[in-house]
Amino acid sequence: STITGNSNKTRLSIGTSGQNGAKSDNIVTETIAGDLNYIIQSLTKGSINSSISLTGSSNQVTSSLLSSYGSVSDTITGSSNIINIQQTDNAGGNGHQLVMSTTGDYNSITTQQQGSNDTVVNIKTTGSHNTITVRSSNSAIASPVSAIAG
């Protein structure tokens, strides 16, 4: 999907609980350009490859992936954005993967990965005063946190 403009609120839901086997591939690409947007992704089912390209400031993205095979690749350009990414389930043979590149100041990024196999987190930032929280566990994450923009 493509979202342009300011102060938009969107929710993208794919799949339902109990459909998280490796039976289908889901490729999700969202392009967001603007400020003060609120984006929610809820992706459940099969193999998920999620990609978000965000340009703007003061946006909030919350992405929840319940998948045995989850991959996230995000590019964020702008300041004071809040990004929350959670990947859960048994993580399949390859584990969960997050690759993120951010350019800007005062961005907050929180990623939480939970599964029985290896996880990969690769976050590159350019800018000042960015806050990054990474939590990874092979069991449920106790007291999950969310990003708070500084």
Side-chain angles (χ1 to χ4, degrees), residues 117-138:
N117 291 309
D118 293 340
T119 60
V120 174
V121 176
N122 182 349
I123 299 173
K124 176 184 174 188
T125 62
T126 302
S128 301
H129 308 288
N130 293 302
T131 302
I132 300 169
T133 303
V134 177
R135 299 183 74 192
S136 182
S137 176
N138 63 356

Side-chain angles (χ1 to χ4, degrees), residues 37-115:
N37 294 300
Y38 187 70
I39 311 301
I40 298 174
Q41 284 186 342
S42 178
L43 311 175
T44 303
K45 187 176 179 182
S47 174
I48 297 172
N49 294 305
S50 172
S51 173
I52 294 175
S53 176
L54 171 67
T55 303
S57 296
S58 301
N59 295 292
Q60 183 169 341
V61 176
T62 300
S63 183
S64 176
L65 287 77
L66 175 60
S67 170
S68 297
Y69 306 92
S71 175
V72 175
S73 177
D74 291 349
T75 303
I76 312 298
T77 303
S79 297
S80 301
N81 294 300
I82 299 172
I83 312 298
N84 293 301
I85 299 171
Q86 180 171 287
Q87 295 173 287
T88 58
D89 205 2
N90 66 11
N94 297 324
H96 298 300
Q97 179 175 328
L98 169 69
V99 176
M100 178 177 285
S101 175
T102 63
T103 302
D105 301 325
Y106 296 100
N107 292 301
S108 289
I109 301 164
T110 298
T111 181
Q112 300 175 129
Q113 297 176 322
Q114 176 261 313

Side-chain angles (χ1 to χ4, degrees), residues 7-29:
S7 301
N8 295 296
K9 293 182 181 181
T10 68
R11 176 183 299 270
L12 173 64
S13 297
I14 296 176
T16 59
S17 181
Q19 293 182 320
N20 55 344
K23 297 176 183 166
S24 63
D25 292 332
N26 292 296
I27 299 172
V28 177
T29 302

